[in-house]
Amino acid sequence: MAEITNVTEYEAIAKQKLPKMVFDYYASGAEDQWTLQENRNAFSRILFRPRILIDVSKIDLATTVLGFKISMPIMIAPTAMQKMAHPEGEYATARAASAAGTIMTLSSWATSSVEEVASTGPGIRFFQLYVYKDRNVVAQLVRRAERAGFKAIALTVDTPRLGRREADIKNRFTLPPFLTLKNFEGLDLGKMDEADDSGLASYVAGQIDRTLSWKDVQWLQTITKLPILVKGVLTAEDTRLAIQAGAAGIIVSNHGARQLDYVPATITALEEVVKAAQGRVPVFLDGGVRRGTDVFKALALGASGIFIGRPVVFSLAAEGEAGVRKVLQMLRDEFELTMALSGCRSLKEITRDHIVTDWDGPRALPRVAPRL
């Protein structure tokens, strides 16, 4: 195999290795997949304004998220059913995140339980939550995540119903028979039945609560002390409501372009959300990050950090834990290089002035030339 030099190259390898149903599940988006392309393309419309002749011999990438120290602002997003990609699944991802000194978010629909992931050793882990119709199931799950040492809940709010993913419908997607949704195994909710369209869509229709509303975000706070990140926010209006409802942070996400097609790319929606948050809570970006330059652009637009999803499952399929470690390392190295070449020695030195976007008005030039 030729040497892998960037994150994107793992997708082709995953496509060769995985059964079509599994690869399509990970790779596809909703309907026309316009947002899927746009999540990537929008980054290419943001350019750098690098500053030169700054001593960049020492560069610090460290940051804190909800008070937890991490080595870099690059974290792992929740992606479902990772054992479809590799036998070690979420175990491998958890170990890779821990080795990189960053946060892993475990999906509700993981093929390893919260207890199993905790057993891989120390590490800062968040738990992504879908709210089931049976609230006892939710309360039980949250308690288990707390007991297993998870540090925050990422509440996914953009999935009252599953988006229309046509590849999954064509493939009659269902969880392979040797796997279960481990967090729900003992509750008779761990199996996904075959269906006439997508088995996952049928499962969601049967189990996930469509009545979910802001009052449930408040209810969640009565059953847990953990901070709650609201994942799936794309507008200023919902940002303000999330903060009113007590959210500890916001994840700007369009669910990897898998829910409503023709929503903007997350990098495009980011600034609106950041402005509405007014610094009251941290805002994170999820979606489309494949390069260290993307990470820099997100931070320049006000994100406190980013989450990666597909690069994790593709690299996991290709090379297991080593693949995920490599993805995290490549993104870290590229991001550090971008900082150096932009004249930024720490995350707080990355500013809005380091980029120009296609939605910026004409830039007012300084009236006087700066003096040395």
Side-chain angles (χ1 to χ4, degrees):
M1 191 166 79
E3 195 189 348
I4 295 220
T5 53
N6 67 64
V7 166
T8 315
E9 290 174 354
Y10 277 114
E11 184 166 354
I13 299 165
K15 188 170 189 173
Q16 285 170 342
K17 283 198 157 183
L18 293 172
K20 180 172 165 46
M21 180 186 80
V22 172
F23 176 79
D24 286 355
Y25 170 73
Y26 290 141
S28 62
E31 297 187 352
D32 298 328
Q33 304 194 110
W34 182 86
T35 298
L36 185 68
Q37 317 295 258
E38 183 65 5
N39 266 358
R40 284 296 308 129
N41 294 342
F43 279 106
S44 69
R45 299 194 295 269
I46 300 171
L47 303 180
F48 293 124
R49 300 182 69 247
R51 300 301 307 275
I52 53 167
L53 293 172
I54 292 165
D55 173 356
V56 289
S57 55
K58 287 191 187 65
I59 292 191
D60 181 15
L61 276 68
T63 188
T64 58
V65 168
L66 301 181
F68 299 100
K69 262 194 85 70
I70 54 174
S71 69
M72 57 180 175
I74 300 164
M75 298 165 282
I76 292 183
T79 49
M81 309 178 241
Q82 292 180 13
K83 280 186 183 174
M84 293 195 308
H86 187 276
E88 290 182 6
E90 293 85 1
Y91 290 85
T93 302
R95 290 191 296 259
S98 186
T102 193
I103 292 165
M104 171 194 181
T105 317
L106 182 71
S107 169
S108 272
W109 295 335
T111 36
S112 314
S113 67
V114 288
E115 293 83 5
E116 288 172 335
V117 168
S119 78
T120 62
I124 304 156
R125 304 191 180 102
F126 293 172
F127 180 69
Q128 176 271 335
L129 182 67
Y130 282 117
V131 177
Y132 278 58
K133 288 175 182 173
D134 182 344
R135 292 308 158 93
N136 295 329
V137 167
V138 179
Q140 221 174 314
L141 196 53
V142 169
R143 271 198 297 277
R144 282 172 54 200
E146 277 184 310
R147 270 203 304 274
F150 284 67
K151 300 296 187 225
I153 302 286
L155 175 68
T156 296
V157 293
D158 58 9
T159 315
R161 296 172 59 174
L162 204 69
R164 185 175 172 82
R165 305 166 193 175
E166 292 175 4
D168 292 349
I169 296 169
K170 282 188 173 65
N171 295 331
R172 303 261 189 276
F173 173 80
T174 188
L175 193 57
F178 54 92
L179 296 175
T180 59
L181 301 180
K182 267 290 200 225
N183 287 315
F184 301 100
E185 208 174 33
L187 304 161
D188 280 343
L189 299 170
K191 278 273 175 248
M192 199 179 294
D193 299 320
E194 301 272 343
D196 288 340
D197 50 12
S198 152
L200 184 62
S202 302
Y203 180 83
V204 168
Q207 303 298 342
I208 304 301
D209 196 340
R210 296 183 184 184
T211 73
L212 192 68
S213 70
W214 290 110
K215 67 177 189 309
D216 297 291
V217 180
Q218 289 161 322
W219 166 75
L220 209 49
Q221 290 165 76
T222 67
I223 65 164
T224 182
K225 296 269 191 291
L226 295 180
I228 294 162
L229 298 168
V230 177
K231 178 176 183 285
V233 175
L234 292 170
T235 64
E237 298 91 316
D238 284 335
T239 303
R240 288 188 280 268
L241 288 169
I243 293 168
Q244 276 169 28
I250 285 166
I251 303 175
V252 175
S253 168
N254 52 32
H255 211 109
R258 295 158 77 76
Q259 282 299 100
L260 179 61
D261 202 12
Y262 299 99
V263 294
T266 48
I267 193 71
T268 309
L270 176 62
E271 198 164 30
E272 171 179 330
V273 171
V274 166
K275 283 177 174 164
Q278 296 180 317
R280 290 174 290 180
V281 298
V283 174
F284 304 96
L285 176 111
D286 175 311
V289 173
R290 301 291 180 272
R291 283 280 186 189
T293 47
D294 299 337
V295 180
F296 186 101
K297 289 170 185 180
L299 269 62
L301 285 167
S304 293
I306 65 95
F307 289 90
I308 52 165
R310 286 186 183 89
V312 172
V313 287
F314 292 149
S315 60
L316 185 63
E319 293 176 352
E321 182 185 336
V324 182
R325 283 182 182 234
K326 188 153 186 206
V327 156
L328 291 168
Q329 189 62 48
M330 283 189 293
L331 284 173
R332 183 194 174 94
D333 292 345
E334 289 177 7
F335 177 51
E336 185 181 25
L337 181 60
T338 306
M339 284 176 68
L341 295 178
S342 297
C344 299
R345 293 162 292 198
S346 67
L347 304 188
K348 67 175 184 297
E349 289 189 355
I350 301 174
T351 69
R352 185 62 171 79
D353 287 332
H354 285 98
I355 57 165
V356 57
T357 72
D358 61 355
W359 60 87
D360 285 334
R363 185 172 279 281
L365 294 171
R367 270 183 297 252
V368 266
R371 286 218 168 76
L372 280 181

